Amino acid sequence: MTETHLDHVVLWVSDPLASVEFYEKTVGLTGVRAAEFADGKAPFPSVRVSAGSLLDLAPLTMAGSMNAIPGAEGTAGHPVNHVCLALGKQAFEALHARLEDSGVVVSPYSHNSFGARGAAPRSFYFRDPDGNIIEARHYDE
């Protein structure tokens, strides 16, 4: 690999398996290691965003034992403002419809907000079951 890319983002969740279900059924991502987590063989499950990136769904109960920087007690569980998922236009529209059908509150559309690939024609925000804020956007392609 010669290009730097985002490998994973860790989200703190109260019920990792319920979170996997939400991200699979409502958001449309694929679960990773859910069965291993359920069997006690993995510390947390994940969902795949793309071939090279994951959202790790770490149990909030682990926060006390996970300090990412030695000597920086209390850093585990530090909140993240939001995570953004870029989708194709049809997938973006399908996600918006699934969220609304599931009763998930979505924000009004934003227009021309800046991201990794420039200005996105539309984006919106929603919360997962643990209150993590997720942005969805599409680019002209």
Side-chain angles (χ1 to χ4, degrees):
M1 178 175 292
T2 59
E3 184 177 312
T4 301
H5 71 281
L6 185 64
D7 186 86
H8 68 277
V9 172
V10 178
L11 298 178
W12 294 112
V13 300
S14 59
D15 183 340
L17 294 176
S19 292
V20 168
E21 183 177 359
F22 171 80
Y23 280 99
E24 284 181 328
K25 290 184 178 178
T26 307
V27 181
L29 303 179
T30 302
V32 178
R33 300 190 326 161
E36 292 89 335
F37 173 75
D39 291 341
K41 296 177 182 172
F44 53 84
S46 304
V47 288
R48 185 160 300 285
V49 175
S50 67
S53 63
L54 298 169
L55 293 178
D56 292 336
L57 305 171
L60 191 53
T61 56
M62 291 176 63
S65 64
M66 291 182 63
N67 282 304
I69 303 169
E73 290 76 18
T75 62
H78 186 75
V80 170
N81 181 270
H82 72 276
V83 174
C84 181
L85 302 174
L87 304 101
K89 184 177 179 180
Q90 288 182 333
F92 172 88
E93 291 171 351
L95 171 58
H96 193 274
R98 280 194 312 275
L99 290 166
E100 286 188 328
D101 289 347
S102 297
V104 176
V105 175
V106 297
S107 73
Y109 288 118
S110 297
H111 299 277
N112 298 314
S113 60
F114 182 77
R117 294 171 34 201
R122 292 182 298 165
S123 64
F124 65 88
Y125 296 84
F126 62 94
R127 290 184 185 269
D128 75 4
D130 288 281
N132 293 300
I133 299 172
I134 309 298
E135 177 186 359
R137 64 173 46 218
H138 74 87
Y139 290 97
D140 286 331
E141 296 182 29

